[in-house]
Structure formats: structure tokens, C-alpha cells
Amino acid sequence: MNGMNGARRISALLALCAVVALAALVSACKGATGEHAPGGGSAEGVPQPYVTLRMIMPGDESARMREFVDNELNERLKRELNMKLELTYIPWSDYQSKIELALSTGENYDLFWYGTPFVAEYKAKGYIQPLDALLQEYGNDLTANIPADNFKLDTIDGKLWAIPSQAFTSAGKFTSVMVRQDLLESVGMIGIRTIADLEAFYTKMRAKDPSYYGYLETDRGQDVLWRELSDRPLSFLDENQMFAVDEDSGELVDYLESDLYKEVAQVRKRWVDTGLIDKQFIGYKAANIDQEDAGKLLFRVGAVSRAMENLQTVQNADPDAKLREYYLSPDKPKYIVAPSNEAYMIPAKASHPARAMQFMNWILQSKEHYNFIIYGVEGKDYRIENGKIKLLTNDQFLYEWMWRNKNYFMPTTSVDDSVVQDMLHNDDNARVSRIFGFHFNQEPVKNEYANVLAVYNEKFVPINLGIVDYEEHFSAAMDALKKAGYDQVWDELQRQYASFRSGQTSLSGREESE
């Protein structure tokens, strides 16, 4: 019996060793990728193995940002997330072309930012991957601090394709105008309410100091003027500014063939003729940005909180500079088309998609993390004074506007309280746009759409910019657009939008019955 029991004990011990060895092997295999292990990594809660996360951002990297990433940030990321951040900056003027090149050639990047309108396009081109499973496993702090409606903005065909990182006020975004408030006051003006006010500001300021110039972005700004020029409340449907929706009736509007387009084109042409839009800067985004950084522009398209976002840069050029945003015809309603125009996407060929999601989640894990990556080291790069951020360096860190969150937001001490109140109350009495959550799938008319865009850029953009006269060039431009397939694109857009509206009506009916 003793011999038999001994044999059984030896067999049991061998079996136990085999189980332990198998468990160790499985653990090692999971650790080799570190991408989908439950809980994100090791027993200590630190993901395994150590990886380099490659990220692309727009802009020019400041000296302190480079030092911060290489030292304090990466030391902390290694300790808490077992990763190194390799951050590549691309100048704003080259960002779109170079990000497209990187994505189309499958360069090995894990994370990048772009505006929300590009999400549908990059999804259609196969550049990015769906994020639902990653968000569910690694994004608890993202979903806790970003409203559920914001995620709907980047949901296409039932899947999430980007993280809408900003969660703040957003009504009327890109339909306001940001002005140099200090210069406005220097010529005896208080605020801006009309197109005539903008023109008067330019005329008075140029008479006082001709080194300044007007400048309303020529690739945006048409809908800034709509607030005064149109009796119908309209919102642009597409980034290329060909189609719109009437917010009252819900119907689509063929903007290019409308009388409103003619009125806007005439204003822009007048502005070019008078010098308010400077011909030498038209089409040269980098030159425009340089002039803005030098503190020489009088106004530009606003973005709800651009007066705060751009203040640090303009005060580097002029310490006395003040900025403020205004809406033309301010009594007219504002619409929430997109609660966040900021989208972080993970390329389809990313090496470390789970780590990219963990990194984004880490940013919103606490107010301390949020302040750290946006403002740097407390006591060295910033300090908190009376609930505001006192900047101790003029260098930019991670763009605050890309991650601005109502749960963590604090203004900087240099921003006027009036500007802060403008932002915080921007959405008061705002309305949700008819096109909230609508994405145009270009696939059924992709060839026609590509041809239409080519003709639009050639024939219509010069009209938009005010370089050529509407009366002389519109008819031929529209004929060319029709031949390229404009009507087919318009018909498909109407079909998809009708389906979208029908789905909204059905959902509303179900909610009311419940």
C-alpha cells in the first residue's frame, strides 16, 4: 500500500508540475504581445512587455516639449504603463499630405490626431481600425469623462472608429470670429456684431498701423457670414463646403447653386479687393500661421475657445495682446453639429493598438495626469493659483484644446474672466443640429465624388477665396462640376440623408412610446 501511495503521490506531483509549466507558458505567450491580456498586463498591473508607442501630432515641437517627453513623461510612462512615447511632429501646413502618405503606405505608427470630418474618409480608405473592443477593455476613464453622445459622432456602421477626445462646449463651432480685442478697443470699438463692424475694424486699424492685416481663413469662414447673410439657419454638411442643411426644416440645401453662395462670394471678393484678405497669403497656410504667430492678424475664424487657445502664442509676440470671439447676428441660435472636432485614431496597421488606448485612457485617469501631460511638471512648468493655471514657461506641451474636458478644465491666469464665461456659457440655449451623427458614405459614388472634388478645387475654390469674380466664372464652373458627376453625388447624398432622418424619426417614436 505504501508503495502504491508513493507512486500516486509522484504522479500527482508530476501532473501539478505540468499544469504550472503550462500556465507559465501561456503567461509568457500573453506577455510577448502585451496587447490583449486580461487587465492589460502583469500581476502588478503594469502592461508587458516594454514597448515604444509611435504617435504623430501636428505643429512644431517646442524645446521644452521635447525635453519633457524625453525625460519626465517617458520616465513616468515607463513606470506606470511600461512604454516609451516616440512623438513625431509634422508642421501644420504639411500635416494632411504627410499623414495621408504615412497611412496609405502603412508606416508603423500607433496613434494620431485629426479632425472629426476625416474619420469617415479614413475609415472608407481602410486606414484606421475599429476601437470598440479596445475601448471596452482599456478605456474606462475615457468613457467616464467623455459623454456617450460624443462617441456617437465617430460611430459608423455600428462601430467606433475614433476617440472624441474633447468634451466641452461646442455649439456654433467655426461660425464665430476671433478678434484682437486690444486692437479693437484701441480704435474705439467695443465688439463685433456685423460684417460692417469687421470692415470698419480693418479700415481703422490699417489707418493707424498698416503692418496689420485682416485675414479670415480662406479655407473656412463662409458659414461665419451666413449668420448675417441668410434668413435660414444653415449648417455645413461636408468639410468641402458644397452642401448644407436647413436646421428649421431639416431639408438639404444645394449651397453652391443658392443665392447665399453668390452673396458670400461677393463679400469675399470685396475683401480681397480692399486688402482685408491679403492676396499674398491666399493659399499659403504656413504664411498665414506665421503672421498670426507674429501677432499681425486682426481676426480669424473662431472655435468657441480659440481666444484662450491662441493667447499664449500671440502674447509671445505682443505681451499686451487680448483675444475674444464674437458671433455675427448674435441673437440667432447656435447649433451643436459635433460635440468634439478632435479625433484620435489608431491606424489599421498599428503595432500596439492596446497600448495606444491605454495611453489615451491614462490621460483622463485623473486631473493630475491631465495637467501633467498638458502643462508639464507642477512647480517647474506651471502652478495653480486661485483655481487657474499659472504658466511658468512659454513653450507648448500637448495641445490643451485637443483634450479639453469639462471635468478637469482650469483656465490660465492670462485669460480674461469674460473670455472664460463666453466659453462656459457658449452652449446655453443651443440646439442639436439635424446632421448630428450623420456620415456620408462616398463609396457608392466614389469615382464621381473624386472627380467633383477635383473640379471643385480647380473652379470653385478661387471663387470662395475671392480671387476671381463670381459673375464671370460661376456658370462655367458649375457646368464643369455637373459633367464631373455632381448630380449623382447630390442624389446619393439625399438618399443617405433621407435614410438617416428616417432612422432618427423611428428612434424618436420608440423612445416616446417607452
Side-chain angles (χ1 to χ4, degrees):
M1 290 294 291
N2 289 340
M4 182 68 70
N5 288 337
R8 286 175 178 168
R9 284 195 296 271
I10 292 172
S11 296
L13 183 60
L14 290 173
L16 178 61
C17 290
V19 170
V20 172
L22 179 60
L25 178 61
V26 171
S27 177
C29 289
K30 287 183 177 179
T33 62
E35 292 297 320
H36 299 290
S42 70
E44 291 78 20
V46 178
Q48 299 295 325
Y50 180 71
V51 302
T52 296
L53 189 76
R54 302 188 68 209
M55 180 178 175
I56 311 175
M57 290 285 286
D60 298 311
E61 185 177 56
S62 68
R64 174 59 185 137
M65 183 58 178
R66 176 75 274 154
E67 179 188 29
F68 173 70
V69 171
D70 288 345
N71 295 285
E72 294 99 337
L73 179 58
N74 272 331
E75 287 173 8
R76 186 162 184 178
L77 291 179
K78 181 178 181 180
R79 183 171 65 252
E80 298 182 21
L81 293 177
N82 205 23
M83 71 168 60
K84 173 185 177 182
L85 181 64
E86 185 178 291
L87 189 55
T88 299
Y89 276 86
I90 298 174
W92 281 101
S93 57
D94 299 325
Y95 192 69
Q96 182 172 351
S97 61
K98 290 192 175 181
I99 197 76
E100 290 260 4
L101 179 62
L103 294 169
S104 63
T105 57
E107 287 190 48
N108 186 22
Y109 287 101
D110 299 299
L111 185 64
F112 71 97
W113 167 91
Y114 218 161
T116 298
F118 290 91
V119 175
E121 178 182 342
Y122 289 172
K123 178 262 183 187
K125 291 180 178 179
Y127 290 163
I128 56 179
Q129 60 178 275
L131 306 180
D132 304 82
L134 292 172
L135 180 66
Q136 183 176 1
E137 186 166 3
Y138 303 109
N140 288 342
D141 296 292
L142 290 170
T143 54
N145 289 288
I146 298 174
D149 279 347
N150 292 31
F151 288 98
K152 293 178 183 177
L153 186 70
D154 297 317
T155 299
I156 306 171
D157 297 335
K159 295 181 179 180
L160 179 70
W161 297 91
I163 298 299
S165 56
Q166 190 184 88
F168 206 67
T169 55
S170 61
K173 195 162 191 177
F174 303 125
T175 67
S176 61
V177 59
M178 182 188 78
V179 306
R180 276 288 300 272
Q181 183 68 21
D182 58 306
L183 299 179
L184 186 71
E185 293 171 3
S186 76
V187 293
M189 299 179 68
I190 299 173
I192 297 291
R193 296 178 63 92
T194 66
I195 293 171
D197 287 342
L198 287 172
E199 294 174 344
F201 176 33
Y202 168 76
T203 300
K204 292 179 178 181
M205 192 61 211
R206 290 281 291 186
K208 179 180 179 181
D209 185 344
S211 70
Y212 291 93
Y213 71 107
Y215 174 51
L216 187 79
E217 284 103 316
T218 45
D219 58 340
R220 283 191 186 273
Q222 296 188 63
D223 41 349
V224 171
L225 306 177
W226 289 359
R227 294 185 59 84
E228 177 177 338
L229 296 177
S230 177
D231 293 330
R232 305 169 72 185
L234 301 178
S235 294
F236 262 130
L237 195 72
D238 63 319
E239 185 75 5
N240 295 295
Q241 303 180 331
M242 292 186 287
F243 310 111
V245 67
D246 184 319
E247 295 287 8
D248 280 345
S249 67
E251 69 175 307
L252 290 185
V253 175
D254 180 354
Y255 170 58
L256 294 182
E257 295 190 278
S258 70
D259 290 337
L260 178 60
Y261 178 68
K262 178 179 179 179
E263 291 183 71
V264 170
Q266 289 171 338
V267 170
R268 299 287 273 261
K269 182 66 166 62
R270 181 171 78 241
W271 284 5
V272 168
D273 291 344
T274 59
L276 192 150
I277 294 177
D278 197 318
K279 284 185 179 180
Q280 67 175 321
F281 298 123
I282 289 179
Y284 297 98
K285 185 174 288 188
N288 280 317
I289 292 172
D290 288 345
Q291 289 297 317
E292 180 179 6
D293 290 348
K296 289 299 180 181
L297 70 85
L298 299 180
F299 57 85
R300 66 170 295 186
V301 174
V304 178
S305 49
R306 185 165 276 168
M308 184 185 74
E309 295 162 6
N310 290 29
L311 186 61
Q312 182 181 5
T313 299
V314 72
Q315 285 187 341
N316 287 340
D318 184 347
D320 297 323
K322 292 192 294 184
L323 301 173
R324 193 160 188 181
E325 296 192 37
Y326 296 94
Y327 291 93
L328 303 185
S329 301
D331 296 331
K332 290 182 178 180
K334 298 187 291 257
Y335 294 87
I336 301 174
V337 176
S340 172
N341 196 55
E342 321 312 330
Y344 277 87
M345 291 167 266
I346 298 178
K349 297 183 179 180
S351 297
H352 308 294
R355 296 300 191 87
M357 185 64 72
Q358 288 171 326
F359 172 66
M360 287 191 289
N361 187 75
W362 181 88
I363 294 174
L364 292 187
Q365 207 163 58
S366 69
K367 190 169 186 175
E368 191 273 328
H369 285 190
Y370 176 87
N371 286 343
F372 179 69
I373 201 163
I374 290 172
Y375 299 114
V377 179
E378 186 173 4
K380 178 178 181 179
D381 300 300
Y382 78 97
R383 65 174 178 263
I384 298 175
E385 294 182 355
N386 300 318
K388 293 185 177 182
I389 297 289
K390 172 66 175 179
L391 299 174
L392 304 178
T393 175
N394 288 325
D395 282 8
Q396 291 274 1
F397 287 79
L398 191 68
Y399 296 116
E400 183 270 345
W401 51 266
M402 285 187 183
W403 284 95
R404 184 174 303 125
N405 191 282
K406 61 182 180 181
N407 294 336
Y408 297 146
F409 169 75
M410 288 192 293
T412 58
T413 55
S414 59
V415 179
D416 288 348
D417 288 341
S418 61
V419 173
V420 175
Q421 291 304 308
D422 286 348
M423 292 189 297
L424 294 178
H425 293 282
N426 179 74
D427 287 9
D428 291 356
N429 303 316
R431 305 175 188 178
V432 176
S433 172
R434 301 271 191 168
I435 57 173
F436 185 100
F438 175 71
H439 300 278
F440 178 42
N441 178 13
Q442 304 163 11
E443 188 64 26
V445 287
K446 63 180 181 181
N447 293 330
E448 292 87 349
Y449 194 79
N451 293 335
V452 164
L453 282 185
V455 172
Y456 177 82
N457 289 329
E458 178 188 354
K459 304 288 187 180
F460 279 87
V461 168
I463 299 175
N464 300 348
L465 300 178
I467 299 173
V468 301
D469 187 77
Y470 172 93
E471 283 76 8
E472 293 180 16
H473 296 271
F474 175 78
S475 181
M478 183 52 69
D479 287 344
L481 205 64
K482 298 274 189 180
K483 290 178 182 178
Y486 183 74
D487 289 336
Q488 292 93 318
V489 172
W490 173 239
D491 290 344
E492 178 61 26
L493 177 63
Q494 289 180 301
R495 185 192 67 77
Q496 291 186 28
Y497 179 71
S499 177
F500 169 76
R501 292 288 292 156
S502 175
Q504 284 185 320
T505 302
S506 299
L507 178 61
S508 175
R510 288 199 303 272
E511 289 175 343
E512 288 176 4
S513 66
E514 293 171 358

